Amino acid sequence: MTSGLLCLLTLPFVLGQTPGDLEPLIPSTPSSPFSDSVLRSGFNNSFGPSLGSVSQSLSNFTGFEDDHGTCQCSVTLPDTAFPVQRVERLEVTAHVLSQKFEKELSKVREYVQLISVYEKKLSNLTIRVEIMEKDTISYTELDFELIKIEVKEMEKLITQLKGSVVGSTTVVNQLEVEIRNMTLLVEKLETLDKNNVLAIRREILALKTRLKECEASKGENVPAAPPPPAPGSCEHGGVVNISRPSVVQLNWRGFAYKYGAWGRDYSPQHPGGGLYWVAPLNTDGRLLEYYRLHNTLDDLLLYTNARDQRLVYGQGAGIVVYNNYMYVNWYNTRNIAKINLNNNRAEVTQTLPDAAYNNRFSYANVGWQDIDLAVDENGLWVIYSTEASTGNMVISQLNDTTLVVLNTWYTRQFKPSVSNAFMVCGVLYATRTLNTREEEIFYYYDTNTGKEGRLNITLRKVQERIQSINYHPFEQKLFVYNDGYLLNYDLIFNQEPK
């Protein structure tokens, strides 16, 4: 009995209770050797009246003494209230925070990629602007507009980034400053356009707009004009007027290269598919050393996809391209050379009989153009003078394969008094200078009839001197080289055939 009692007395201390806090312990198993009265009597004698205030923290216990006198106790602790709902709310909150974190992290990754892309774009723009700063004569308004568009796109992105990025925005702020500096630099370059290229083009565009408005207001009650002749056709009565100039751009070598020629290849087999060519002479106004080819007008305007070739032996701006061959006056001779544009080789050279050369009878205000080649609907021509013609203009039609003269016509127009000339449907048209802004198509010679006469057609220009005029039969346009600028004119024909 003593060992069983000790077992029961030890239980409260194991559970962290004091004897004064215990209720009377009543065994629930009948196997105990102690009677209820004895157990209760023993507890009452040991703890006295304090058992009435014991808390109800323990229940469902058993205690007994085994055969060896060892106390065996079994206690079941009461259920404690566990905060299950709080734990569930904590889990939901943690999940929501995890999703938000992943979302913001993905945004950061995306913005890091975008910043990297636009840093590269900004670097490319910086290089392009540096090139424009170093070479102030090789850019056009199109260059400025393209750069402005790209800068505006980057400004929009920076605005989005500033509104979205939380925390440090040092990189974004730095990009914003660089883009703002880029914008100011482009605007400054525009204002420093020493050659007035942009100003001239804008002025011409404004004048064109006003002219169209004027024509529209005047032409409301005017019957429609007859359609122009078909491209490449000579079913008309000759040139009767010419449009205002359309400035295409400055030549690719720059403002210092005032002499040269440009045009578009004409092939009777493929009349609308010729390439564009630009051939500025060296600054001496004599040597044709380099020329450039473009497959399309867009390539020419954007200075892209160009093929640069070196010729060395060309002389003067009397250059034409016909059926994928370039025809030039060979340097320091009266010879004409035929250059294959595919390999830049002279396949044929032929002497032009009795032709004056080396500035003997060149055009007025334009040197080294004694021999001026031309193309029209009828093929390849050459305009020149001889000592026998006393400086008057001579017209010869050439075989474009062998360069042999097929036929020759003699005019009564003195060549050095003419500023330039071109051929249309076998008719020679000659120009002369009126003033620094106007030329006049004043003379014609018709090889079809042998007749010559006077005209009065004003041809406006953007610079003082015209160096070359080339005609394209399919487009029915003039390609004019005007002190380094490339101009286009539309020809207007008499609708009644001759």
Side-chain angles (χ1 to χ4, degrees):
M1 178 177 179
T2 303
S3 60
L5 181 60
L6 288 172
C7 176
L8 293 174
L9 289 173
T10 306
L11 178 63
F13 296 98
V14 173
L15 299 174
Q17 304 288 334
T18 63
D21 295 331
L22 293 175
E23 291 182 341
L25 303 177
I26 302 175
S28 60
T29 174
S31 64
S32 174
F34 307 106
S35 65
D36 292 345
S37 60
V38 174
L39 186 60
R40 287 191 180 92
S41 175
F43 273 100
N44 288 335
N45 292 333
S46 301
F47 300 105
S50 64
L51 291 173
S53 61
V54 175
S55 64
Q56 304 296 321
S57 60
L58 298 174
S59 62
N60 299 329
F61 63 89
T62 58
F64 63 92
E65 184 179 5
D66 60 12
D67 296 339
H68 303 287
T70 303
C71 178
Q72 301 290 335
C73 301
S74 177
V75 178
T76 303
L77 295 176
D79 291 336
T80 303
F82 187 76
V84 177
Q85 293 181 347
R86 291 184 180 178
V87 173
E88 290 178 349
R89 286 198 297 271
L90 182 61
E91 288 180 347
V92 172
T93 303
H95 182 67
V96 171
L97 288 175
S98 177
Q99 288 182 332
K100 288 184 177 179
F101 176 76
E102 290 296 333
K103 185 177 180 180
E104 294 300 322
L105 186 60
S106 65
K107 284 184 179 180
V108 170
R109 292 194 186 104
E110 180 182 352
Y111 288 136
V112 168
Q113 292 177 353
L114 288 174
I115 288 174
S116 177
V117 170
Y118 278 86
E119 277 183 329
K120 292 179 181 178
K121 282 192 174 184
L122 186 60
S123 176
N124 291 336
L125 282 176
T126 303
I127 294 171
R128 288 166 59 187
V129 171
E130 287 176 354
I131 293 173
M132 292 168 64
E133 284 184 299
K134 293 176 182 177
D135 187 5
T136 58
I137 58 176
S138 64
Y139 56 85
T140 65
E141 188 170 14
L142 183 59
D143 297 316
F144 287 118
E145 293 303 322
L146 290 175
I147 290 179
K148 283 182 179 179
I149 291 172
E150 294 185 37
V151 171
K152 286 181 181 178
E153 288 179 356
M154 289 193 290
E155 286 177 345
K156 291 180 181 178
L157 175 69
I158 289 298
T159 303
Q160 293 175 1
L161 289 176
K162 289 188 69 177
S164 303
V165 174
V166 179
S168 176
T169 59
T170 304
V171 177
V172 177
N173 292 335
Q174 184 178 358
L175 282 174
E176 184 181 22
V177 171
E178 291 184 16
I179 291 172
R180 190 181 301 116
N181 292 339
M182 179 71 67
T183 304
L184 295 174
L185 185 56
V186 172
E187 292 175 353
K188 183 178 179 181
L189 282 174
E190 277 192 299
T191 59
L192 295 177
D193 177 27
K194 298 178 181 179
N195 303 323
N196 293 323
V197 180
L198 305 182
I200 291 172
R201 295 189 68 174
R202 288 169 180 159
E203 182 180 353
I204 290 172
L205 182 61
L207 290 173
K208 281 185 177 180
T209 303
R210 290 172 57 188
L211 179 63
K212 288 180 180 178
E213 292 174 354
C214 180
E215 289 176 347
S217 62
K218 290 183 178 180
E220 292 178 354
N221 300 320
V222 177
S233 169
C234 290
E235 298 298 322
H236 54 75
V239 177
V240 294
N241 209 342
I242 191 170
S243 70
R244 290 176 176 267
S246 173
V247 181
V248 177
Q249 64 180 175
L250 185 67
N251 79 87
W252 60 278
R253 297 190 72 183
F255 186 73
Y257 294 84
K258 294 178 177 292
Y259 298 87
W262 84 292
R264 188 180 185 190
D265 178 22
Y266 175 68
S267 172
Q269 292 77 25
H270 306 284
L275 52 78
Y276 292 83
W277 57 275
V278 183
L281 303 182
N282 285 358
T283 52
D284 62 1
R286 180 182 183 182
L287 179 63
L288 171 61
E289 188 172 4
Y290 297 98
Y291 64 92
R292 176 175 283 187
L293 306 175
H294 297 273
N295 289 328
T296 67
L297 182 60
D298 288 341
D299 287 344
L300 186 148
L301 292 173
L302 297 173
Y303 299 100
T304 57
N305 301 321
R307 285 187 291 153
D308 293 346
Q309 301 287 4
R310 188 165 186 257
L311 189 60
V312 179
Y313 298 112
Q315 176 172 280
I319 311 159
V320 293
V321 174
Y322 181 66
N323 208 14
N324 204 45
Y325 286 91
M326 177 177 283
Y327 298 87
V328 300
N329 174 210
W330 222 226
Y331 189 84
N332 202 34
T333 70
R334 57 169 60 92
N335 295 343
I336 298 173
K338 177 182 178 181
I339 312 297
N340 188 331
L341 296 183
N342 293 326
N343 55 29
N344 194 40
R345 293 179 180 176
E347 294 192 352
V348 180
T349 58
Q350 184 67 256
T351 301
L352 184 60
D354 301 325
Y357 64 101
N358 281 358
N359 261 349
R360 175 62 176 136
F361 295 118
S362 187
Y363 289 128
N365 303 319
V366 181
W368 311 104
Q369 205 165 336
D370 305 77
I371 297 174
D372 184 18
L373 292 141
V375 169
D376 72 354
E377 293 82 354
N378 298 331
L380 182 64
W381 302 82
V382 61
I383 305 164
Y384 60 104
S385 295
T386 65
E387 295 294 341
S389 71
T390 63
N392 289 344
M393 301 177 78
V394 178
I395 309 166
S396 290
Q397 189 171 16
L398 302 178
N399 182 307
D400 61 277
T401 302
T402 63
L403 301 183
V404 173
V405 174
L406 301 178
N407 207 344
T408 300
W409 294 263
Y410 295 91
T411 75
R412 291 184 292 178
Q413 177 61 49
F414 188 55
K415 189 170 181 285
S417 67
V418 172
S419 60
N420 227 283
F422 58 95
M423 300 290 297
V424 177
C425 290
V427 179
L428 168 74
Y429 293 91
T431 63
R432 64 183 176 187
T433 301
L434 296 182
N435 51 56
T436 59
R437 285 294 179 267
E438 290 180 327
E439 298 274 318
E440 181 186 47
I441 302 174
F442 75 102
Y443 173 82
Y444 75 92
Y445 184 97
D446 190 346
T447 62
N448 301 294
T449 62
K451 293 182 179 179
E452 58 186 337
R454 297 292 174 177
L455 297 170
N456 183 20
I457 302 173
T458 301
L459 184 150
R460 291 172 177 80
K461 53 189 177 181
V462 297
Q463 293 292 322
E464 184 173 347
R465 286 186 296 272
I466 285 179
Q467 280 75 27
S468 68
I469 302 176
N470 284 303
Y471 170 67
H472 193 273
F474 185 79
E475 294 191 25
Q476 296 177 336
K477 290 178 179 288
L478 296 183
F479 291 74
V480 176
Y481 197 98
N482 182 198
D483 275 344
Y485 291 94
L486 314 183
L487 311 183
N488 265 153
Y489 296 82
D490 292 317
L491 292 179
I492 302 170
F493 300 99
N494 186 347
Q495 301 304 314
E496 297 181 2
K498 295 180 182 178

